[in-house]
Amino acid sequence: MDGPCRLRPASLADLPVLVELELRSFSDPWTAAQLREALRWTGAIALVAEGADGVVGGYLLGRVVVDEAEILSIATDPRLRRTGLGRRLLREAMAIMLERGAHAAWLEVRVGNVAARAMYQCEGFVAAGLRKGYYRCPEEDAIVLRRDLTMPASPSTESS
């Protein structure tokens, strides 16, 4: 992915690249069938980050159900990690969630995923629980995080 990127809604046409990003990003990736189904859910939010060269470098999948939202999956090409791409996807998704009437966003993150946990903390997510043995391959606990979408971001997260 060269140069600046734009965020756009993902479609079923993006499914092959979403599968590839899953495979490169996670030890227990979603299957093509699972991703296809999630893209079709009522309330789905699906975004991709596409470079000027047309290459998709990351994606986010979430959903809004009534007045709450959930981040289901967020992945960036391993070569593009720590460039702010995941943060851009997350912020855009949260803005859409708020527009759709969600007052809170939830997600799970591996206990050992220190980089993701740090990003979520900077974006205002706080620990709300622990799910023992939630992840497979390898088995690991998940921290449940929550963010109040109606509260403005703190000054320290605005500049990130």
Side-chain angles (χ1 to χ4, degrees):
M1 187 159 97
D2 294 328
C5 72
R6 70 181 179 104
L7 303 184
R8 65 167 175 79
S11 70
L12 288 174
D14 294 307
L15 191 57
V17 74
L18 300 185
V19 170
E20 187 174 324
L21 283 168
E22 279 282 317
L23 290 170
R24 288 190 305 202
S25 299
F26 303 113
S27 59
D28 190 18
W30 286 35
T31 65
Q34 290 168 321
L35 288 165
R36 184 180 304 107
E37 181 181 341
L39 287 169
R40 294 177 173 161
W41 285 336
T42 301
I45 296 169
L47 300 170
V48 295
E50 182 179 65
D53 55 4
V55 174
V56 172
Y59 88 94
L60 180 141
L61 184 59
R63 65 180 167 185
V64 173
V65 178
V66 187
D67 62 349
E68 299 227 327
E70 182 178 17
I71 305 291
L72 299 165
S73 187
I74 182 168
T76 56
D77 184 308
R79 297 168 295 186
L80 298 173
R81 292 196 181 139
R82 299 181 192 264
T83 64
L85 192 57
R87 187 179 305 268
R88 281 190 60 203
L89 286 161
L90 180 63
R91 287 180 175 177
E92 180 67 15
M94 290 190 301
I96 293 168
M97 291 167 174
L98 187 58
E99 287 173 6
R100 291 189 185 176
H103 65 79
W106 297 83
L107 61 87
E108 294 92 10
V109 62
R110 283 183 181 269
V111 169
N113 191 342
V114 177
R117 288 175 54 195
M119 177 185 74
Y120 295 134
Q121 183 179 6
C122 286
E123 292 302 315
F125 283 85
V126 295
L130 183 71
R131 294 192 177 164
K132 292 284 196 182
Y134 181 79
Y135 290 104
R136 307 173 297 176
C137 302
E139 186 174 310
E140 189 172 2
D141 297 343
I143 298 174
V144 178
L145 300 177
R146 181 185 185 281
R147 159 94 194 264
D148 183 343
L149 297 175
T150 64
M151 297 297 292
S154 69
S156 63
T157 62
E158 285 294 317
S159 62
S160 299

